[in-house]
Amino acid sequence: MQVDYLLLGKRLAELRKKRGLTQERLAQSIDVTSIYISHIETCRSIPSLETVVKLCDALEVTPNELLLGIGVCSSNYLSDDILQKLEQCTPAERRLISGFLDLLQAERENASKKRG
């Protein structure tokens, strides 16, 4: 599973705001600059592992929650994001996306057959 740093930035901003923290306040709590927090939130910087751990501690979340959007009991971590994006698509775009998903599923099934 890969980390989507754009989504990580969005999650960081959401979690920070939910806790009533400014970028400045969060930055002070983990000993970085507010500009660096802004850059992480806008995907202009990728945080180090050490920074991720500090952010998780400061925001009181697990690394899975911050990095992948997976809460302790969550299995569909991208569902909300995908649904929001689909709602903005035209019917033609939705058909294209559906066809693409069909291709991905068929490819996965073919790969499974080759392994098994």
Side-chain angles (χ1 to χ4, degrees):
M1 188 172 300
Q2 285 190 311
V3 175
D4 183 329
Y5 290 101
L6 184 60
L7 286 177
L8 178 142
K10 287 181 182 181
R11 280 191 292 275
L12 175 60
E14 288 174 10
L15 290 165
R16 176 181 57 76
K17 290 173 186 174
K18 278 183 185 177
R19 282 152 181 78
L21 295 171
T22 62
Q23 289 177 341
E24 180 71 27
R25 185 98 162 133
L26 178 59
Q28 287 174 348
S29 73
I30 67 166
D31 199 30
V32 297
T33 66
S34 59
I35 292 170
Y36 184 56
I37 296 295
S38 173
H39 284 189
I40 295 170
E41 289 182 358
T42 57
C43 198
R44 288 186 277 175
S45 292
I46 296 174
S48 67
L49 181 57
E50 181 181 352
T51 300
V52 168
V53 170
K54 288 179 180 181
L55 286 168
C56 290
D57 286 342
L59 297 169
E60 299 177 342
V61 296
T62 65
N64 275 351
E65 192 170 352
L66 181 61
L67 293 170
L68 304 173
I70 301 173
V72 175
C73 298
S74 177
S75 61
N76 297 319
Y77 71 96
L78 285 176
S79 294
D80 292 340
D81 187 56
I82 292 169
L83 286 174
Q84 287 174 357
K85 289 176 182 176
L86 281 174
E87 288 171 359
Q88 297 172 9
C89 292
T90 66
E93 291 169 333
R94 289 180 186 178
R95 283 190 297 276
L96 182 64
I97 292 166
S98 178
F100 180 70
L101 291 173
D102 290 342
L103 288 172
L104 284 174
Q105 187 174 17
E107 181 62 30
R108 185 176 0 126
E109 289 171 1
N110 286 337
S112 278
K113 288 177 184 176
K114 288 180 183 177
R115 280 186 242 134

